[in-house]
Structure formats: C-alpha cells, structure tokens
C-alpha cells in the first residue's frame, strides 16, 4: 500500500480550547514514523507518536504523552491528516495544545489541500485491521461497536436534552462522501449552562462563540449551522481523529452512540488486542 505525506510544510496558529494559550503548529513532510508531534518549545524537542499507546487522558479531548511531554486536543488535526490521506507527518508545536481554530477540521484540510500530497512508495505500510467479529465497549447506554464489514463505514448517534440538538444520527463512508466536504466543516459544540462549571475546573479557557457552537434551552446562540446535524457530524469527526491513532483505519463498520473520547480509545485498544 502506498504511503503519502504532504509536499511541503505549512503553519497554522491559534488559541487552545482548554489552555487558552496561543500556540503555533508547523506540519512538515515526513518519510517514516507515521504521524508524530514534536514539542519544539521543550529541551531536546521530545517526540510524541500519534499512537493509541501514547494516549494519557481523554477528558473532553484526546491527549498524548511521552515521558513528561504532552500534547492535547489532537483529534481535529489528526482527523484532517488521516481523512485527507496523509500517512506520514511531523507536527511541530511550540505549546501543549493543538489550536482549536474555528472548532472544526476545515482550516487544516484547506492547508493540506493547498500544499498537496506526495507518494512515498518506499515507506513501510502497516497492515490494516480487519474486524472479523463484533467488538463492543460500553459505559451505561453509551457504546462503540466494531462490526465486520467489506469496507470502512462510521455511524454516530447522539441524544441531548436540548431541543436544538435532540436525537441525531449520521453515517459516513469515505467511498461515498469526501471527508473534506461531509465531516471536516462540522464544529465542536457546547452548552451555555455548563460553561462556568467547566471554566472553574480549568477547562475551555479558550472557548468562545467564535470557535464553538453553543446552545441553551431556547436554541443556538450563534447560528447558522453548517449542517442540520452538525453536532452528530462533529462527533464523527472526533471518532475519525481518535481512530487515526491505529495508524490505518480498520476494515469495519464502527457504530457509536452517545460515546466519548474515552470509549473511542477503549475500542481502539480492544481492536489492537484482537477483541
């Protein structure tokens, strides 16, 4: 299987959702090593692999770590790289959290399209996981299941007690719709009545109406939406980013309902362990 990287480096900067810090990211071509982060602001510039084994925290985002070095909220950038077919990439960061940008993966996708891709025919390609029997992880009524299937399909369901969202589903296959159009533009979302509690917990310091959809019991505070089911599509975007930590997407139908980064990663670990 041919591996791909980007043709040339690109840079992007912005505020981190949880840290509130301004961070600069430079994504560079790589010949091998898969997708990996480099903390250029730290002594010896430690490398953090974008792999399931590097996950160290999954509360409201996915965080990777190696030794004492960490990078947080990696899911949107990794989804953009994997969704656009970038197998090898060196991601240099001058801080510990990937910028949220507009809350989606659209700006990352646009930057990747601008520099283009190049093939790496000599690069070693991992073997894709073929799911041969159902594998499920569950917490209460929330679950993620991998089912045998002839090709990759992701299906996501959410259900919130806010009339603006309610019950939503979205099913996506890369063969049927382009990631760049169907998934990447979907923005992260939150709830007005939870903002103060999260900030008191030291979270979402960089969140705003500019980088997240926010609703209350009466409706959306910052419409319009990009899709009628944008929240469900965004959850699917998060799932793409988390599953990218496998290296290659599994050959399976992944079905998620009311799930979280925690359950996404638990499923990825179960897939690696063979169930």
């Amino acid at each position: 299987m041919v591996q791909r990287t980007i043709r040339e480096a690109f840079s992007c900067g912005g505020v981190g959702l949880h840290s509130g810090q301004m961070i600069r990211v430079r994504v560079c071509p790589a010949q091998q090593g898969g997708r990996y982060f480099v903390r250029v602001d730290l002594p010896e510039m430690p490398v953090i692999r974008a792999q399931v084994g590097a996950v160290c925290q999954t509360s409201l985002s996915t965080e990777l770590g190696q030794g004492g070095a960490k990078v947080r909220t990696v899911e949107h950038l990794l989804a953009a790289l994997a969704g656009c077919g970038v197998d090898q990439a060196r991601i240099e960061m001058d801080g510990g959290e990937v910028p949220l940008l507009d809350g989606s993966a659209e700006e990352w996708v646009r930057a990747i399209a601008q520099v283009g891709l190049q093939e790496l025919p000599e690069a070693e390609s991992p073997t894709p996981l073929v799911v041969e029997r159902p594998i499920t992880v569950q917490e209460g009524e929330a679950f993620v299941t991998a089912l045998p299937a002839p090709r990759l399909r992701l299906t996501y369901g959410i259900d919130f007690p806010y009339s603006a969202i309610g019950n939503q589903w979205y099913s996506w296959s890369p063969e049927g719709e382009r990631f760049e159009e169907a998934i990447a533009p979907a923005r992260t979302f939150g709830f007005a009545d939870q903002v103060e509690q999260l900030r008191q917990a030291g979270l979402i310091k960089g969140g705003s109406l500019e980088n997240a959809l926010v609703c209350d019991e009466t409706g959306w505070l910052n419409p319009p939406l990009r899709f009628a089911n944008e929240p469900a599509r965004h959850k699917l975007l998060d799932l793409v980013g988390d599953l990218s930590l496998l290296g290659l997407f599994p050959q399976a139908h992944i079905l998620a309902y009311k799930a979280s980064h925690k359950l996404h990663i638990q499923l990825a670990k179960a897939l690696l362990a063979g169930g």
Side-chain angles (χ1 to χ4, degrees), residues 25 32 67 71-72 103 105 115 133 136 140 160 165 184 224 230 258:
V25 177
Q32 57 186 3
V71 285
R72 188 175 193 178
V115 298
R133 60 183 180 82
T136 300
F160 287 96
I165 302 177
E230 189 168 354
K258 298 179 71 169

Side-chain angles (χ1 to χ4, degrees), residues 94-163:
D94 66 1
E97 185 174 22
V98 176
L100 186 61
L101 304 180
D102 74 343
S104 76
E106 192 166 48
E107 290 186 51
W108 298 116
V109 161
R110 195 178 299 129
I112 293 166
Q114 195 164 2
V115 298
L117 306 185
Q118 63 175 338
E119 293 186 353
L120 298 169
E122 303 303 319
E124 287 188 23
S125 178
T127 303
L129 287 162
V130 177
V131 173
E132 297 179 344
R133 60 183 180 82
I135 298 173
T136 300
V137 294
Q138 187 166 2
E139 191 171 79
E141 62 179 2
F143 68 86
V144 189
T145 294
L147 301 168
R151 60 190 62 85
L152 176 66
R153 174 170 288 279
L154 305 178
T155 299
Y156 219 111
I158 59 175
D159 195 355
F160 287 96
Y162 299 85
S163 59

Side-chain angles (χ1 to χ4, degrees), residues 45-220:
M45 297 196 298
V47 170
I48 305 167
R49 303 285 176 190
Q51 298 174 344
V52 175
V55 175
C56 57
Q57 189 266 123
T58 54
S59 177
L60 297 183
S61 69
T62 298
E63 182 173 351
L64 308 176
Q66 179 65 44
K70 294 179 180 179
V71 285
R72 188 175 193 178
T73 318
V74 299
E75 54 271 15
H76 300 170
L77 172 52
L78 290 179
L81 290 168
C84 292
V86 181
D87 305 293
Q88 311 279 343
R90 173 186 172 95
I91 307 162
E92 299 177 350
M93 293 178 52
D94 66 1
E97 185 174 22
V98 176
L100 186 61
L101 304 180
D102 74 343
S104 76
E106 192 166 48
E107 290 186 51
W108 298 116
V109 161
R110 195 178 299 129
I112 293 166
Q114 195 164 2
V115 298
L117 306 185
Q118 63 175 338
E119 293 186 353
L120 298 169
E122 303 303 319
E124 287 188 23
S125 178
T127 303
L129 287 162
V130 177
V131 173
E132 297 179 344
R133 60 183 180 82
I135 298 173
T136 300
V137 294
Q138 187 166 2
E139 191 171 79
E141 62 179 2
F143 68 86
V144 189
T145 294
L147 301 168
R151 60 190 62 85
L152 176 66
R153 174 170 288 279
L154 305 178
T155 299
Y156 219 111
I158 59 175
D159 195 355
F160 287 96
Y162 299 85
S163 59
I165 302 177
N167 181 261
Q168 298 182 5
W169 286 87
Y170 187 63
S171 190
W172 173 73
S173 170
E175 293 183 358
E177 295 179 286
R178 297 179 70 238
F179 171 85
E180 296 91 328
E181 297 169 357
I183 307 300
R187 294 162 293 175
T188 193
F189 61 97
F191 311 106
D193 58 2
Q194 296 179 6
V195 168
E196 189 55 38
Q197 177 186 353
L198 290 169
R199 288 195 169 150
Q200 287 181 359
L203 299 168
I204 67 166
K205 296 176 184 176
S208 73
L209 294 177
E210 305 302 316
N211 57 26
L213 288 169
V214 180
C215 79
D216 62 15
E217 65 277 1
T218 65
W220 294 105

